[in-house]
Amino acid sequence: MSKKNKDIEVRIEETNRTIKGTNYVINQLSIGKKLVGEVMTLGAKEHEAFLGDEDLGSYKSVDLAIEAILLQHNLHD
């Protein structure tokens, strides 16, 4: 008997946040109503990924940072 895969809705919302006087673009990842992680854009090819309070590192694209957050979330959930 095989399991059916459920579709999971992942929502990405772009916001701005000022940290120590500098304005950053923040992409927030949500699954359902739960905030899973955030991607902070520091430069053209520098994006920092966060899973809650955990810093997952720096990535060259937003897509790679989002993928890292989703992988870590699936491992811990």
Side-chain angles (χ1 to χ4, degrees):
M1 183 180 253
S2 66
K3 281 185 165 181
K4 284 192 172 186
N5 290 333
K6 271 200 302 187
D7 289 338
I8 298 172
E9 179 186 348
V10 177
R11 208 173 59 244
I12 301 171
E13 293 181 22
E14 188 175 293
T15 63
N16 290 311
R17 189 176 298 160
T18 302
I19 302 171
K20 296 183 181 179
T22 305
N23 195 30
Y24 295 100
V25 174
I26 306 289
N27 290 296
Q28 297 180 324
L29 277 74
S30 301
I31 295 178
K33 294 182 179 182
K34 180 181 177 187
L35 179 64
V36 175
E38 296 180 318
V39 177
M40 181 187 318
T41 301
L42 303 173
K45 290 192 176 188
E46 190 176 0
H47 307 278
E48 200 73 20
F50 298 94
L51 181 67
D53 292 335
E54 184 181 353
D55 185 352
L56 299 178
S58 187
Y59 298 88
K60 290 184 180 182
S61 73
V62 173
D63 291 340
L64 289 174
I66 289 170
E67 185 176 334
I69 291 169
L70 293 174
L71 286 172
Q72 285 299 315
H73 174 70
N74 287 335
L75 286 175
H76 296 295
D77 197 29

